[in-house]
Amino acid sequence: GAVVSQHPSRVICKSGTSVKIECRSLDFQATTMFWYRQFPKQSLMLMATSNEGSKATYEQGVEKDKFLINHASLTLSTLTVTSAHPEDSSFYICSAHRDSGGYEQYFGPGTRLTVT
Amino acid sequence: RKEVEQDPGPFNVPEGATVAFNCTYSNSASQSFFWYRQDCRKEPKLLMSVYSSGNEDGRFTAQLNRASQYISLLIRDSKLSDSATYLCVVKMRGGATNKLIFGTGTLLAVQP
């Protein structure tokens, strides 16, 4: 159990366009999900905490108007990178914390975004 | 100063070797501690939690020293399949969320 999926796994888009990434908890409910970004040879950096039914909490330095997060149900959070630029090219990973308890976060397989 | 610091490596070791990774964290309010493993271009996966009393899972042993704010991971009898990046992770105390802070990772390459 505790599977998290992400879609798409890989996306290439042109500069100036927007890209939506979905994160789904397949077999559990998750009021809280997290979005991370990982640049090559660097660690995961938390971008924001996504809360079902309320606004996301963004980490310092992350533009909320550029990285739109929607957590409309207990199994789905979306991250939209608006007006993407080449410097937004990165590996975006989500994780979900199971509502039924425990401390573990379950990670999705990640989405590799390339902006040309 | 980074909140979680690790030696980036790489650690190149022969099969069968014992290798140890170290990690330090700066925030004394850190509550829980973990080692994750990340394979190239994949998501991180939980390897083990780290407890003050020390804990072992097969060939892997984790230790925590709260006074020194230091965490370690020991891998015995290294296998080729152990090659990966090992991430030291801490969870902060308090708050409504389970925010994890990741270290930059230590790259392990086990050679045949």
Side-chain angles (χ1 to χ4, degrees):
Chain A
V3 177
V4 176
S5 70
Q6 271 185 252
H7 178 79
S9 57
R10 182 183 293 267
V11 57
I12 301 172
C13 71
K14 291 189 176 177
S15 190
T17 60
S18 295
V19 174
K20 181 187 282 189
I21 303 169
E22 292 186 350
C23 176
R24 291 181 187 274
S25 55
L26 298 184
D27 51 359
F28 64 96
Q29 294 185 330
T31 300
T32 304
M33 293 185 176
F34 302 88
W35 286 97
Y36 297 85
R37 180 167 54 182
Q38 186 175 34
F39 292 108
K41 298 189 188 295
Q42 294 186 29
S43 192
L44 278 74
M45 294 299 295
L46 180 66
M47 299 175 67
T49 303
S50 173
N51 304 297
E52 188 271 336
S54 64
K55 291 182 181 179
T57 304
Y58 290 81
E59 294 300 302
Q60 192 170 17
V62 178
E63 298 175 59
K64 63 180 182 181
D65 294 329
K66 180 170 178 64
F67 298 99
L68 301 178
I69 291 173
N70 185 280
H71 194 150
S73 79
L74 288 172
T75 59
L76 173 65
S77 174
T78 61
L79 169 69
T80 301
V81 183
T82 62
S83 187
H85 291 285
E87 57 265 31
D88 297 323
S89 299
S90 187
F91 191 45
Y92 291 85
I93 308 176
C94 73
S95 71
H97 178 251
R98 183 156 45 185
D99 283 353
S100 56
Y103 56 80
E104 188 173 351
Q105 288 184 25
Y106 299 93
F107 285 84
T111 297
R112 192 159 300 279
L113 170 64
T114 303
V115 185
T116 60
Chain B
R1 184 184 171 188
K2 291 179 184 170
E3 290 189 76
V4 181
E5 296 212 51
Q6 293 181 251
D7 180 345
F11 283 55
N12 295 299
V13 303
E15 271 187 289
T18 295
V19 60
F21 304 139
N22 303 320
C23 168
T24 57
Y25 59 96
S26 60
N27 193 327
S28 58
S30 300
Q31 177 182 37
S32 307
F33 309 89
F34 311 92
W35 283 101
Y36 276 74
R37 171 197 168 123
Q38 186 175 25
D39 292 289
C40 189
R41 303 170 86 85
K42 300 280 189 182
E43 76 277 20
K45 294 190 189 232
L46 179 65
L47 180 65
M48 59 197 302
S49 302
V50 189
Y51 303 113
S52 297
S53 55
N55 49 298
E56 187 174 307
D57 183 0
R59 299 181 293 108
F60 299 85
T61 302
Q63 296 274 0
L64 166 66
N65 184 321
R66 284 187 185 271
S68 303
Q69 295 182 194
Y70 170 93
I71 306 161
S72 67
L73 176 68
L74 184 78
I75 305 176
R76 291 182 300 278
D77 188 23
S78 300
K79 311 289 184 193
L80 293 175
S81 56
D82 293 334
S83 298
T85 297
Y86 290 83
L87 302 167
C88 178
V89 183
V90 306
K91 184 170 89 73
M92 307 308 294
R93 186 190 306 275
T97 63
N98 295 287
K99 193 160 85 169
L100 299 180
I101 309 297
F102 284 79
T104 50
T106 299
L107 179 61
L108 171 66
V110 181
Q111 315 287 346

